[in-house]
Amino acid sequence: MSADEIVLEMRGIEKAYLTGEVVFRALKGVDLTVRRGEFLAVGGPSGSGKSTLMNLIGCLDRPTAGQYRLAGHDVSGLDADARAFVRNQLIGFIFQGFNLLARTSALENVELPLIYRGMGSSERRRRAVDALRHVGLGTKLDNTPAQLSGGQQQRVAIARALVTEPKLLLADEPTGNLDSTTTEEVLALLQSLHRDQGMTIIMVTHEPDVAQCASRIVVVRDGLIASDRRVETPRQAGVDPVSANPLLGGASS
Ligand SMILES: Nc1ncnc2c1ncn2[C@@H]1O[C@H](COP(=O)(O)OP(=O)(O)OP(=O)(O)O)[C@@H](O)[C@H]1O
Ligand SMILES: [Mg+2]
């Protein structure tokens, strides 16, 4: 795999929803190319089409028109079963509400996508433990979601997304339900996945502060991409702005 490998390419992507007899054009012709190792933040007003776009990128839904290639395959016209297969093989998802199974341990939650793959139980367990350790939850394997903090729950969800070694990590407002300290924790984890493992990440966010942690910012407006720019110096998450800045009373170093 080369560094400039194209992970996904959309051309003229449209999505129309039919509600009763009313057709609503949520996406009106999106062109988007994402290369391996990019970290995209997707912003834009409420109702502009961000989640619709993420659902198409993640093969949860299919476009009304246009071409979509994912990891070199044309996935524009796949039926629901074929899309489920593609999701399990190529994509990890993180949601605002974590979407963990409630009465199920962290370990079992992370094992779930491997069960769908038909993997044997000992290999499954080994990989799930590794993924949970990787997100700093090696001591919380048996905790259910209710026995974890919000940030820890989101880290379980990240472990679940990573355990299948996806080509693409999709996150729709992953910090939307978190306080500012926990937001920084989750962002620092995403940044380290991007930086240390070259993970390709697409993250929807309303927060300019959160978007600044990405390497590229795409803004969706009224069903179209209104702007698309690189971030020269991404903000490092987890750095406390007061202690990092001597002018604000922090230590100088
Ligand atoms: N299943 C659906 N049926 C009909 N209309 C829909 C459907 N899903 C979304 N829409 C409409 O498409 C538009 C875009 O919705 P979308 O959820 O993509 O917005 P968004 O940018 O993610 O907004 P938010 O920031 O509030 O999450 C909205 O006007 C919405 O009402
Ligand atoms: Mg949305």
Side-chain angles (χ1 to χ4, degrees), residues 37-39 134 158 169 183-201 203 209-216 231 233-239:
E38 287 196 286
F39 183 178
H134 194 89
I158 293 172
L169 188 58
T183 290
E184 289 300 294
E185 232 176 81
V186 165
L187 283 173
L189 178 58
L190 293 177
Q191 282 189 314
S192 87
L193 291 169
H194 170 244
R195 186 184 56 237
D196 305 334
Q197 290 173 42
M199 181 62 75
T200 311
I201 303 173
M203 168 182 72
D209 254 25
V210 171
Q212 284 300 328
C213 291
S215 61
R216 178 176 165 194
V231 182
T233 323
R235 181 177 75 80
Q236 289 303 307
V239 179

Side-chain angles (χ1 to χ4, degrees), residues 131-213:
L132 281 161
R133 283 196 184 132
H134 194 89
V135 300
L137 292 176
T139 62
K140 304 281 184 188
L141 302 178
D142 295 323
N143 291 47
T144 61
Q147 298 167 335
L148 295 167
S149 71
Q152 289 170 337
Q153 289 181 57
Q154 193 57 300
R155 282 190 276 149
V156 173
I158 293 172
R160 181 184 56 188
L162 294 175
V163 78
T164 56
E165 300 179 344
K167 257 193 186 291
L168 179 61
L169 188 58
L170 298 181
D172 197 344
E173 309 215 32
T175 61
N177 285 4
L178 302 176
D179 64 32
S180 58
T181 309
T182 315
T183 290
E184 289 300 294
E185 232 176 81
V186 165
L187 283 173
L189 178 58
L190 293 177
Q191 282 189 314
S192 87
L193 291 169
H194 170 244
R195 186 184 56 237
D196 305 334
Q197 290 173 42
M199 181 62 75
T200 311
I201 303 173
I202 305 180
M203 168 182 72
V204 170
T205 181
H206 279 107
E207 306 289 328
D209 254 25
V210 171
Q212 284 300 328
C213 291

Side-chain angles (χ1 to χ4, degrees), residues 15-19 22 24-27 42-55 61 96 172-173 204-206 220 223:
K15 179 69 190 181
Y17 292 114
L18 185 63
T19 312
V22 182
F24 182 80
R25 295 175 71 215
L27 294 176
V42 178
S46 178
S48 58
K50 303 180 297 295
S51 294
T52 300
L53 179 62
M54 291 294 270
N55 289 346
D61 201 355
Q96 177 170 0
D172 197 344
E173 309 215 32
V204 170
T205 181
H206 279 107
V220 179

